Amino acid sequence: MNVALRAVSAEEQQAGRPAGFEQLYRENFDDIYGYVAGLLRDRVAAEDVTALAFERAYRKWDRFDSVRGSARGWLFGIARNAALDELRKRKRQAPLTADPPDPGPGVETSHEQLEREAAVTAAMDGLPPADRELISLKFFAGMGNKGIAAATGISPSNVGTRLHRAITKLRSAVTEEVSR
């Protein structure tokens, strides 16, 4: 989905708001958050990283070049880098506890649902980071192959191939987790 940037009034431009940024924010916040939460597997950290990604995009808005790609793809690239920074930071820090990630509000609490979620979480954690990223972009951010390609720099056909392989690995890992 390409973001069509709206015309901005002179008052908005004078108020220091970059032209079209508010619309970009409103149209993409949920998808960016979903993508980052899928990568980080931590709701609180995902909120912080999402805010950081939008802050970086806001500061760099004047450098966005629509010739090189869509604003949405550019924004996902910034979010990706912010999430990877957070993951690198986590590797340098020892965890204090081994608590499972908070699934967030509105999650079913039936025993079977909890078992399925635990199996998927364990399977996702066992995937290589590149596979987790593709699955997060596809299912948590709701992006198509072209959007994923724009965010990752991988060709759309290669995205499809890699995504298929990642999903196959995930299904296999979930099956193993459930059978344990």
Side-chain angles (χ1 to χ4, degrees):
M1 170 177 100
N2 286 337
V3 176
L5 301 177
R6 67 179 174 80
V8 178
S9 68
E11 294 85 23
E12 277 186 309
Q13 288 182 354
Q14 289 175 354
R17 291 186 213 133
F21 189 81
E22 183 176 348
Q23 180 181 356
L24 181 70
Y25 175 85
R26 289 178 191 273
E27 291 179 354
N28 291 286
F29 180 84
D30 291 339
D31 290 342
I32 294 289
Y33 173 79
Y35 165 62
V36 170
L39 281 178
L40 299 180
R41 316 291 299 152
D42 178 343
R43 197 182 72 190
V44 174
E47 290 172 0
D48 292 342
V49 170
T50 300
L52 177 63
F54 277 102
E55 177 189 345
R56 287 179 182 173
Y58 185 84
R59 283 187 281 122
K60 296 177 181 183
W61 184 242
D62 60 332
R63 294 186 232 162
F64 168 66
D65 182 4
S66 62
V67 173
R68 296 182 66 202
S70 71
R72 181 177 167 86
W74 175 76
L75 185 58
F76 268 94
I78 292 172
R80 175 181 189 249
N81 290 337
L84 293 176
D85 289 347
E86 173 66 21
L87 290 171
R88 280 188 217 97
K89 184 175 102 179
R90 286 181 183 184
K91 284 184 179 180
R92 292 190 305 263
Q93 298 173 343
L96 297 176
T97 64
D99 292 336
D102 181 3
V107 176
E108 287 185 39
T109 57
S110 73
H111 182 68
E112 289 178 7
Q113 179 68 23
L114 290 174
E115 285 180 353
R116 280 193 300 270
E117 288 175 9
V120 171
T121 298
M124 282 287 285
D125 289 344
L127 290 176
D131 290 345
R132 268 197 321 267
E133 178 181 22
L134 291 174
I135 289 172
S136 295
L137 284 168
K138 184 72 171 183
F139 297 104
F140 297 118
M143 293 179 78
N145 290 5
K146 287 182 182 179
I148 294 171
T152 62
I154 302 170
S155 73
S157 61
N158 199 359
V159 166
T161 302
R162 289 183 180 189
L163 193 55
H164 175 74
R165 289 180 186 155
I167 292 169
T168 301
K169 287 180 196 175
L170 182 62
R171 283 185 182 136
S172 176
V174 168
T175 302
E176 285 179 28
E177 282 294 321
V178 170
S179 65
R180 286 184 188 179

